[in-house]
Amino acid sequence: MAKQPMLKFVSVERDMPEKRPPDLRRTDFQEIYAEYADAKAKEQSSRCSQCGVPYCQSHCPLHNNIPDWLRLTAEGRLQEAYEVSQATNTFPEICGRICPQDRLCEGNCVIEQSGHGTVTIGSVEKYITDTAWENGWVQPITPKAERTESVGIIGAGPGGLAAADVLRRAGVQVTIYDRYDRAGGLLTYGIPGFKLEKDVVMRRNDQLAEGGVTFELNCDVGRDISFADIRAKHDAVIIATGVYKTREIQAPGVGGLGVERAIDFLTASNRKSFGDTVEEFESGRLNAEGKRVVVIGGGDTAMDCVRTSIRQGATSVKCLYRRDRTNMPGSQREVANAEEEGVIFEWLSAPKGFVGDPVTGVMVQKMRLGAPDATGRQAPEVIEGADYIEEADLVITALGFEPEDLPTLWNEPDLPVNRWGTVKADYITGATALDGVYAVGDIVRGASLVVWAIKDGRDCAEAILARLGDAAAIAAE
Ligand SMILES: Cc1cc2nc3c(=O)[nH]c(=O)nc-3n(C[C@H](O)[C@H](O)[C@H](O)COP(=O)(O)OP(=O)(O)OC[C@H]3O[C@@H](n4cnc5c(N)ncnc54)[C@H](O)[C@@H]3O)c2cc1C
Ligand code: SF4
């Protein structure tokens, strides 16, 4: 009988792919984890306990068939593992790199709960699809038959791209409109290369274009083309525009030179990685080199800003957050990576204002955690008399994002939005109250995760296909 390749978690220890040493990664924007060697991927996959009720799968937003592709990988059946993995996930190699696995699949792995250390699900998922790309198993879409119906998608982030992939496979004509010059949304211009190298995103954009998806780039809907025109051109429209309005700090000195927004800083840095000329970077405004940098915020965007500043050659990088380490929203894994690279965290510290224009410092208030608020989180309270000035030449604010006012920008007052400005849409199909108009990703959920945008895009595309199918059936009667 063949030897059982699985359930090795008792004898085989958890082992992540090798992490590049901090001194090396401080100097470039390459990803920090190496790829698994084939034998290591097999070995780590064999640790899976093949549970009858896989909690990893139920806590993955895409309900990926994780135990199945782990078993196929352990058995060396990589092409089949790839087929199973890509059946539920449009971009497995991207999720494998940037999902917060500790909060999703890996955080719910049963062997983690039993103290043996989780199966390294994300790293194996990345390995399977990177291998598929290397071996030419990932091919452009070739629909069995072309259909005449067309769908216009506004926004080329993961939500829009995932919807485009499903629709195109069914032969639907798809046009994606995006105001940027490259597709990918925050995968391209938000998330830094040390988490997600840009060629990983670009090859997906190319794959979609080769499969017949039309990209209308440098096209800002509401300015270069009206929303009404897009609706008139297509049988259905998907809004996948993400959230880009920065949540501003209300404090004296905001707006002065050197107090900059996270999205501007990260976009400029990512553009430089593509080799673009970026005026605000060349002028020094959005370049951390030789500067004392202070980043304000405790989420993943703040973590990306501190680590980008280190790589640009800042003389010091500090992160101010008003709660403590345990109560921060960002991933603990990213904080650890940042600390290894030389970032200093000032917990329980909030900005009161900014000194100088150009900025020379941040007025910092020290905080303590008080009684829990309505959400159950301990509310930060000011410690009177403990203020100080933190010297800085560049301050980056990373307090989160809000939706733009789409009904006004697009002159479409009937587009339903809730009081936060996100588009009201059915949580499964993405359908809005406007006939033929759907919405997916961050513009519906508020700032969220790539994997949720992919899930929304796929579900919405399926709903549109069902609707187009029904319409075709009625027309044929
Ligand atoms: C700095 C940063 C780091 C992050 N890190 C992670 C991470 O590690 N892991 C993770 O899972 N998630 C991360 N996220 C969140 C994740 O990137 C988003 O949840 C995800 O990209 C949302 O996808 P989307 O398709 O809804 O929108 P987006 O990716 O924002 O794409 C929207 C697209 O719409 C376009 N657009 C907007 N308005 C218009 C218009 N009027 N006309 C034409 N085009 C328009 C934009 O140009 C953009 O290309 C991060 C976010 C940020 C900001
Ligand atoms: S998509 Fe994300 S949550 Fe799902 S298995 Fe992959 S890494 Fe885990």
Side-chain angles (χ1 to χ4, degrees):
M1 207 169 84
K3 215 171 141 202
Q4 162 65 263
M6 305 304 287
L7 282 81
K8 299 269 176 62
F9 60 92
V10 183
S11 54
V12 177
E13 288 211 350
R14 174 177 189 269
D15 199 2
M16 281 290 283
E18 202 176 315
K19 193 151 78 160
R20 297 166 64 222
D23 279 351
L24 198 60
R25 39 186 229 248
R26 283 167 63 98
T27 61
D28 63 40
F29 282 85
Q30 286 165 26
E31 285 175 12
I32 70 167
Y33 290 101
E35 190 75 271
Y36 270 141
D38 295 352
K40 188 53 96 178
K42 236 175 154 173
E43 174 205 85
Q44 289 296 308
S45 301
S46 75
R47 297 182 66 245
C48 173
S49 70
Q50 300 284 285
C51 317
V53 181
Y55 290 109
C56 56
Q57 181 168 6
S58 42
H59 285 84
C60 162
L62 294 162
H63 299 309
N64 282 342
N65 252 319
I66 301 164
D68 284 0
W69 45 254
L70 287 172
R71 182 175 47 77
L72 290 165
T73 305
E75 291 172 358
R77 294 158 63 187
L78 275 184
Q79 189 158 1
E80 289 163 84
Y82 161 68
E83 295 297 343
V84 174
S85 162
Q86 65 90 47
T88 52
N89 190 352
T90 319
F91 308 124
E93 74 284 22
I94 294 179
C95 292
R97 283 169 163 86
I98 58 168
C99 270
Q101 285 101 8
D102 50 349
R103 286 189 260 146
L104 301 171
C105 53
E106 294 181 13
N108 291 280
C109 170
V110 165
I111 65 172
E112 165 84 357
Q113 318 283 328
S114 67
H116 288 283
T118 171
V119 177
T120 51
I121 298 169
S123 304
V124 175
E125 188 179 30
K126 163 180 181 277
Y127 162 81
I128 293 170
T129 311
D130 282 348
T131 308
W133 275 99
E134 274 165 32
N135 287 291
W137 304 334
V138 186
Q139 287 294 319
I141 300 160
T142 43
K144 284 202 185 76
E146 291 292 344
R147 298 179 62 140
T148 52
E149 302 97 335
S150 80
V151 174
I153 300 176
I154 310 172
L161 295 177
D165 179 89
V166 173
L167 290 165
R168 203 43 218 133
R169 281 176 201 279
V172 172
Q173 309 308 311
V174 177
T175 304
I176 306 189
Y177 304 84
D178 201 290
R179 62 182 168 203
Y180 284 146
D181 54 346
R182 293 183 179 93
L186 289 171
L187 303 176
T188 297
Y189 285 133
I191 300 173
F194 50 82
K195 279 166 57 181
L196 176 63
E197 281 172 14
K198 297 303 148 188
D199 55 353
V200 174
V201 184
M202 293 305 120
R203 69 185 177 189
R204 281 294 181 183
N205 294 339
D206 293 346
Q207 183 212 11
L208 287 168
E210 284 162 27
V213 173
T214 304
F215 286 93
E216 294 279 352
L217 299 175
N218 296 308
C219 178
D220 192 339
V221 175
R223 195 191 64 189
D224 301 317
I225 181 170
S226 73
F227 181 61
D229 280 349
I230 291 190
R231 281 187 80 188
K233 274 175 132 178
H234 300 284
D235 298 286
V237 175
I238 302 177
I239 303 171
T241 48
V243 287
Y244 282 86
K245 201 167 100 191
T246 295
R247 206 169 280 152
E248 303 285 1
I249 294 179
Q250 305 298 332
V254 166
L257 191 65
V259 181
E260 307 292 346
R261 296 184 179 119
I263 193 69
D264 298 339
F265 177 69
L266 293 172
T267 306
S269 178
N270 278 314
R271 282 194 179 284
K272 283 306 294 176
S273 300
F274 280 107
D276 296 355
T277 304
V278 183
E279 204 182 297
E280 298 91 341
F281 184 91
E282 320 309 336
S283 70
R285 206 184 110 199
L286 295 179
N287 182 355
E289 187 177 0
K291 293 183 181 162
R292 296 163 300 177
V293 177
V294 172
V295 175
I296 297 169
D300 285 332
T301 302
M303 298 309 107
D304 288 349
C305 290
V306 288
R307 298 178 67 203
T308 297
S309 303
I310 290 275
R311 283 158 175 79
Q312 288 183 354
T315 48
S316 67
V317 181
K318 291 193 174 172
C319 183
L320 302 185
Y321 180 56
R322 64 195 181 127
R323 291 188 165 91
D324 59 7
R325 179 190 283 258
T326 344
N327 288 289
M328 69 178 292
S331 130
Q332 294 296 327
R333 188 174 64 180
E334 294 302 297
V335 178
N337 285 334
E339 282 180 325
E340 285 168 13
E341 290 162 10
V343 175
I344 294 168
F345 286 85
E346 301 287 357
W347 306 111
L348 296 164
S349 305
K352 189 179 180 183
F354 303 95
V355 190
D357 185 6
V359 73
T360 56
V362 184
M363 289 179 260
V364 182
Q365 287 180 317
K366 287 306 287 178
M367 316 293 283
R368 67 175 152 242
L369 291 180
D373 62 15
T375 66
R377 282 177 92 196
Q378 280 183 283
E381 295 168 352
V382 175
I383 303 176
E384 296 298 341
D387 297 3
Y388 70 97
I389 293 191
E390 184 71 60
E391 293 184 349
D393 312 302
L394 174 62
V395 179
I396 302 168
T397 60
L399 297 186
F401 301 98
E402 290 167 358
E404 290 160 289
D405 178 2
L406 293 188
T408 306
L409 285 173
W410 291 357
N411 194 22
E412 183 47 270
D414 292 338
L415 179 68
V417 293
N418 63 27
R419 67 192 157 107
W420 299 281
T422 45
V423 174
K424 276 192 200 167
D426 182 282
Y427 259 95
I428 309 276
T429 64
T432 71
L434 285 186
D435 189 35
V437 176
Y438 297 74
V440 299
D442 280 6
I443 192 59
V444 176
R445 294 177 179 272
S448 178
L449 293 174
V450 168
V451 65
W452 282 113
I454 295 173
K455 154 117 179 102
D456 288 354
R458 292 173 65 94
D459 287 352
C460 174
E462 295 292 353
I464 291 176
L465 287 176
R467 190 188 128 146
L468 295 178
D470 289 349
I474 292 166
E477 275 170 9

